[in-house]
Amino acid sequence: MTIGIVLVVLFGMIFIGVPISFAMLATTGLYFLTGPTPVLIELLPAKIFEGLDNIILIAIPFFLLAGELMNRSGMADRLLHFSNLVIGRVRGGFAYVNVMASLLFSGLTGVAVGDIAALGKIEVLAMEKAGYPRHFAAAVTVASSLVGPIIPPSGIIILYCAIMNVSVGGMFLAALIPGVLMAVADMLVIGVQAKKRNFPLSDVDRSFPAFVEGTRDAALALLMPVFLIGGIVGGITTPTEAAAASVVYALIVSILIYRALSFKQVGKIFMNTTFESARLLFMIAGALSMTWIFALEDLAGKVAFIFDFAAGSPLILILIINTLFLILGMFMDSALALILFGPIVAPLAYSAGVDPLQLGIMLIVNVTVGLATPPIGYVLFAMCSVVRLDFRTLVSEMIPFLLVKAVLLVIIGMVPALTMWVPRYFGF
């Protein structure tokens, strides 16, 4: 099987409904069985376990568990109220609150769909009750949820670091400015829309006692990402140790302080997280089997040959990589796109002078924006399901948000300081 046939078989299986993990493993098996050395298939299990034998990957189940515990403990409501106290007083304030709440909550879930699940319905219904059209409220929520995979702690960043052998602490710091800029871009769109469509003002009580009370309620959620990132960047804990500590922190807050979860509920959360972690790791195993094929077929060399015309222009190369991963994010799971194609484009980008930290953030932002980009847009379908909204109506409201994010993607690629200034300041 040539590399072209391999890709046709893989995407053909996915198209007819075969689960992605099984499709990748089956394609790998067929590749070796039909090749000149079928005995290589005996090495496949060892190759997969070799790739999974990475201590950084253990952090992912811990962060998933911590995020789910904090989600179920009512943390979302507290952050939403705190955001309203801070930024909700201007016209269209509740839309700004939506973005700020997602920016804060992203440190608890680290995934866009987790943000939708935790805050989506709450935010959309609250905005609709305050006088906003449901389709605009849903568009704001989708756009702001894309901050989740960027702002640390982020599962997709940890996964990327494990696959690409990049510093987790450095990537966390490199993600801060791009993540905040994504939220600011959403707020710029909201500002234009608020003036044009005369959105309402928020009437929440903003007296000093109310502000103090709201801040106190949200303090434990706000401090969690600070402790985690500070521990990793400061060299006090490894990413895996920080992830485990976050679970302990979430259990204490959820059960002992907020008294929001029973031991029975915690047991169900552990079961759900175990299932999600196994699903993700199984997908990583399948992707690692595909990367072995790519290495044997020298796919990186073939791609480099295709990109030869851009060798003299880093600008063109970065634009091509941006476009490629944005398209991949539309049709593929974000983690899968990064695992399969990140190692292929990395040598090209490094040879053009792109720093590994900048490349990592650039790729992650691209596949994340792809989650909300038609025609697939996994997060778009998730939102339509949560609030029962027509897909086309939601897409029409998303266009301004996607346009500003497309501009931001180019800026992140063209201005290395946006990703490199913070990690360089801390010595990465």
Side-chain angles (χ1 to χ4, degrees), residues 49 63-64 71 76 120 126 134 157 163-164 170 174 188 242 269 271 275 306 319 326 333 343 346 348 365 394 408 426:
F49 280 102
F63 276 130
L64 288 175
N71 175 13
R134 174 176 289 200
I157 288 180
I163 299 300
M164 301 294 292
L188 290 175
I269 291 172
M271 290 177 61
F275 174 80
I306 295 172
L319 289 175
L326 182 63
D333 181 271
L348 302 173
V365 172
L394 177 57
L408 185 57
F426 284 93

Side-chain angles (χ1 to χ4, degrees), residues 30-88:
L30 288 172
Y31 173 83
F32 288 115
L33 287 174
T34 58
T37 53
V39 70
L40 283 176
I41 197 171
E42 297 178 6
L43 302 177
L44 183 58
K47 198 72 177 177
I48 291 173
F49 280 102
E50 180 185 335
L52 290 175
D53 188 19
N54 189 326
I55 194 169
I56 295 178
L57 291 177
I58 301 175
I60 295 176
F62 281 128
F63 276 130
L64 288 175
L65 178 57
E68 186 69 9
L69 288 168
M70 301 297 273
N71 175 13
R72 299 288 186 89
S73 66
M75 204 65 64
D77 292 332
R78 289 176 168 86
L79 290 175
L80 193 62
H81 180 64
F82 173 77
S83 301
N84 204 1
L85 290 171
V86 173
I87 202 172

Side-chain angles (χ1 to χ4, degrees), residues 132-172:
Y132 295 82
R134 174 176 289 200
H135 47 279
F136 177 78
V140 172
T141 305
V142 169
S144 65
S145 74
L146 302 181
V147 178
I150 311 302
I151 294 292
S154 163
I156 196 72
I157 288 180
I158 293 172
L159 175 61
Y160 182 87
C161 292
I163 299 300
M164 301 294 292
N165 195 27
V166 180
S167 164
V168 175
M171 281 286 287
F172 277 0

Side-chain angles (χ1 to χ4, degrees), residues 239-261:
T240 304
E241 291 168 346
S246 72
V247 173
V248 176
Y249 181 93
L251 285 170
I252 292 173
V253 171
S254 303
I255 298 175
L256 301 180
I257 299 178
Y258 288 155
R259 300 184 184 276
L261 295 176

Side-chain angles (χ1 to χ4, degrees), residues 223-249:
L223 288 174
M224 181 179 174
V226 175
F227 288 143
L228 292 179
I229 300 171
I232 295 172
V233 173
I236 301 172
T237 62
T238 66
T240 304
E241 291 168 346
S246 72
V247 173
V248 176
Y249 181 93

Side-chain angles (χ1 to χ4, degrees), residues 76-77 79-81 83-84 94-106 112 114-134 136-146 383 386-387:
D77 292 332
L79 290 175
L80 193 62
H81 180 64
S83 301
N84 204 1
F94 218 103
Y96 292 112
V97 168
N98 190 325
V99 175
M100 184 174 175
S102 293
L103 184 65
L104 297 174
F105 195 77
S106 62
D115 201 354
I116 292 292
L119 292 174
K121 194 168 185 178
I122 297 172
E123 291 177 329
V124 172
L125 294 182
M127 287 182 66
E128 189 176 26
K129 185 178 179 180
Y132 295 82
R134 174 176 289 200
F136 177 78
V140 172
T141 305
V142 169
S144 65
S145 74
L146 302 181
M383 176 53 74
V386 167
V387 298

Side-chain angles (χ1 to χ4, degrees), residues 69 72 260-270 272:
L69 288 168
R72 299 288 186 89
L261 295 176
S262 66
F263 286 103
K264 183 178 180 180
Q265 290 172 312
V266 170
K268 290 182 179 179
I269 291 172
F270 269 78
N272 292 337

Side-chain angles (χ1 to χ4, degrees), residues 19 21 39 113 127 183 200 225 233 274 277 318 335 350 358-359 383 408 416 423:
S21 303
V39 70
V113 178
M127 287 182 66
V233 173
T274 300
S277 300
I318 289 174
Y350 297 162
Q358 182 191 2
L359 177 67
M383 176 53 74
L408 185 57

